[in-house]
Amino acid sequence: MSQTDTKTRILDAAEHLFASDGFHSTSLRAITSQAQANLAAVNYHFGSKGALLQAVFERRLLPLNQIRRELLEQALSNARQQNTAPRTVDLLRAFIEPTLAFRQSEPGARDFITLVGRALVEPDPTVRDCFTALVTPLFQQLMAALRLALPQIPPGILQTRLQFTLGAMGHTMCMIGRPPLQFPDAPQPPSSAELVELLIRFVSSGLEAPC
Amino acid sequence: MSQTDTKTRILDAAEHLFASDGFHSTSLRAITSQAQANLAAVNYHFGSKGALLQAVFERRLLPLNQIRRELLEQALSNARQQNTAPRTVDLLRAFIEPTLAFRQSEPGARDFITLVGRALVEPDPTVRDCFTALVTPLFQQLMAALRLALPQIPPGILQTRLQFTLGAMGHTMCMIGRPPLQFPDAPQPPSSAELVELLIRFVSSGLEAPC
DNA sequence: ACATATTTAAAACGAACGTTTGAATTATGT
DNA sequence: ACATAATTCAAACGTTCGTTTTAAATATGT
């Protein structure tokens, strides 16, 4: 076995190329070439291109969602202990902040975040479904927690606002690390940590707004 | 010439299929088949697949952005007349509301909105660039107007918050009219008009939040 | 009406794709 | 060491893609 085995090298290359070029525009030949592996290695190790994408998602998302789930439950138990409703910003932070920490943890993680942001609006069900299946349970947990934090907001409206939140998050995750297209005259792009704080401030204000 | 000429039928079919399946996953054969035209008609009338996409964007976006620009300038001139700063919600409404009116004006418009929402995070520069070129000027105009409405927000932060706004808008435009994936137990999906009001409320709260 | 330009049509082009095959190679277990 | 399993490799498969070509059909202008 080499320093990093073929399977991992393929996952890394696929993660990078799927993120920068998209799923359909990335060929298995480009992936195996960058991974210094044989073309057939993808079908040997993963079965198909779609199964490779699923593996790319699962490798990162299973541990990441586990952390988010723990932080979410911790915020809920803290509130329960103090006999208060959980705070919106704490719930959002549990959901958003691990993404940043993960992003800075390893080089390939940057690409993965882009990939996730794009999966939300992916037209192909093959791509979108294998992603939503991984995040829907956690997302519903967040929704349930937010209903405790914001009991004055009707559930239907809260749900819609959570979709807005998801959109802002996803778009941010996609655009982070790319040249700012809309405003070439950016005064100074915020750091990742600042960006997370700005995002939490933005969406918590939107979620908490009186009806 | 038939009731609707070939060029228009191709534009309609391309709009629908690009929106539902994505640019790369839609073949010219699928488009010309649905348009009841010959395969070569696309290259004859438009030159290439990419040029067809550009035509799809321009047909809708040029008139739509014209309306948005007029409403934006109208809100600004109203404020000037009253010697007050423009209101954030008015500026946002000028930008968001025409999208809804347009969406309800003709059947194919629904598809187009989905297409626009997706173009924001499109990995392929061919697709994204020909879209951003059409909206960037208007977007910078909105940014300039918002700086008048929110002078207390530092420009850099306002810019970042406007990116969040764009994300929430784009995601909403993508998801509108699709089965709500995240929450199968939706109490009652909001109408398009309600959705616009909820979106404006959400993003204006986020934009106006104290730093 | 006829000459001209425009549009449609069928067929084929070369390229790139995901996948499969079968042999060669390498690692594993006894 | 040897038999066996796991992995790598080059090559080819069949399909689909965007585009081009060439001829037929249709509309246009005088």
Side-chain angles (χ1 to χ4, degrees):
Chain A
M1 202 184 295
S2 76
Q3 196 168 4
T4 70
D5 63 2
T6 304
K7 216 168 162 176
T8 303
R9 288 201 319 275
I10 289 177
L11 281 173
D12 289 339
E15 182 172 68
H16 176 71
L17 290 171
F18 285 161
S20 74
D21 301 336
F23 177 71
H24 279 103
S25 299
T26 301
S27 68
L28 294 184
R29 287 168 176 81
I31 293 171
T32 52
S33 166
Q34 174 163 325
Q36 299 189 87
N38 186 270
L39 170 61
V42 169
N43 287 281
Y44 174 77
H45 284 287
F46 299 95
S48 69
K49 190 184 179 184
L52 169 60
L53 178 70
Q54 171 131 12
V56 167
F57 275 130
E58 284 179 356
R59 176 173 67 148
R60 306 290 198 188
L61 224 44
L62 291 180
L64 181 59
N65 278 355
Q66 177 62 24
I67 293 173
R68 297 207 264 204
R69 197 184 317 273
E70 285 167 6
L71 289 176
L72 200 61
E73 281 164 4
Q74 185 177 319
L76 284 174
S77 99
N78 282 352
R80 226 177 296 124
Q81 213 162 358
Q82 300 178 248
N83 238 28
T84 62
R87 290 183 2 181
T88 305
V89 288
D90 291 336
L91 302 178
L92 289 173
R93 195 177 302 278
F95 202 74
I96 295 176
E97 201 154 53
T99 310
L100 168 72
F102 161 70
R103 212 184 92 89
Q104 294 171 328
S105 66
E106 28 187 336
R110 294 177 60 102
D111 296 327
F112 182 74
I113 297 303
T114 303
L115 190 55
V116 166
R118 199 168 285 146
L120 281 174
V121 291
E122 171 65 41
D124 186 346
T126 303
V127 181
R128 196 182 51 236
D129 291 353
C130 93
F131 167 74
T132 55
L134 285 171
V135 298
T136 296
L138 180 63
F139 210 73
Q140 290 178 339
Q141 232 174 307
L142 175 63
M143 173 66 189
L146 281 173
R147 288 181 63 169
L148 297 177
L150 299 166
Q152 71 278 18
I153 311 284
I157 290 184
L158 188 58
Q159 196 166 296
T160 303
R161 287 182 174 179
L162 195 49
Q163 291 287 353
F164 300 151
T165 301
L166 197 62
M169 263 191 76
H171 186 252
T172 304
M173 288 162 75
C174 261
M175 287 311 145
I176 204 172
R178 320 208 137 213
L181 275 174
Q182 301 286 356
F183 306 110
D185 59 336
Q188 187 175 325
S191 75
S192 294
E194 289 167 341
L195 196 59
V196 165
E197 291 310 314
L198 287 174
L199 178 59
I200 290 176
R201 185 99 184 88
F202 182 88
V203 297
S204 67
S205 297
L207 286 168
E208 290 172 334
C211 292
Chain B
M1 203 184 289
S2 78
Q3 196 168 5
T4 70
D5 63 2
T6 304
K7 214 166 162 180
T8 303
R9 289 203 316 277
I10 289 177
L11 281 173
D12 290 338
E15 181 172 70
H16 176 73
L17 290 170
F18 284 161
S20 75
D21 300 336
F23 178 71
H24 279 102
S25 300
T26 301
S27 67
L28 294 185
R29 286 165 178 83
I31 292 171
T32 52
S33 166
Q34 174 164 323
Q36 298 189 88
N38 186 272
L39 169 60
V42 168
N43 286 281
Y44 175 75
H45 284 288
F46 299 95
S48 71
K49 190 185 181 185
L52 169 60
L53 178 70
Q54 171 133 8
V56 167
F57 274 131
E58 285 180 354
R59 176 172 70 147
R60 307 289 199 190
L61 224 44
L62 290 182
L64 182 58
N65 278 356
Q66 178 61 22
I67 294 174
R68 298 207 263 203
R69 197 183 315 272
E70 286 167 8
L71 289 175
L72 199 60
E73 281 165 4
Q74 185 177 318
L76 284 176
S77 97
N78 282 352
R80 228 176 294 125
Q81 213 162 359
Q82 298 178 246
N83 239 28
T84 63
R87 291 181 3 179
T88 305
V89 288
D90 293 334
L91 302 178
L92 289 173
R93 195 178 302 279
F95 202 75
I96 296 176
E97 201 153 54
T99 311
L100 168 72
F102 161 70
R103 212 185 92 88
Q104 293 170 328
S105 64
E106 25 187 338
R110 295 176 60 101
D111 294 327
F112 182 73
I113 297 304
T114 304
L115 190 55
V116 166
R118 198 168 288 144
L120 280 174
V121 291
E122 171 65 42
D124 187 346
T126 302
V127 182
R128 196 183 51 234
D129 290 353
C130 93
F131 167 75
T132 53
L134 284 170
V135 299
T136 296
L138 180 64
F139 210 73
Q140 289 180 339
Q141 232 173 306
L142 174 63
M143 175 64 189
L146 282 172
R147 287 180 64 169
L148 296 178
L150 299 167
Q152 72 277 18
I153 311 284
I157 290 183
L158 189 57
Q159 195 165 296
T160 303
R161 285 182 175 180
L162 194 49
Q163 292 287 355
F164 299 154
T165 301
L166 197 62
M169 263 192 76
H171 186 252
T172 304
M173 289 163 74
C174 260
M175 286 310 147
I176 205 172
R178 327 208 131 209
L181 274 173
Q182 301 286 357
F183 306 109
D185 60 336
Q188 186 176 327
S191 75
S192 294
E194 289 168 340
L195 197 58
V196 166
E197 291 309 313
L198 288 173
L199 178 58
I200 291 176
R201 185 101 186 87
F202 182 87
V203 296
S204 67
S205 297
L207 286 169
E208 290 172 335
C211 292

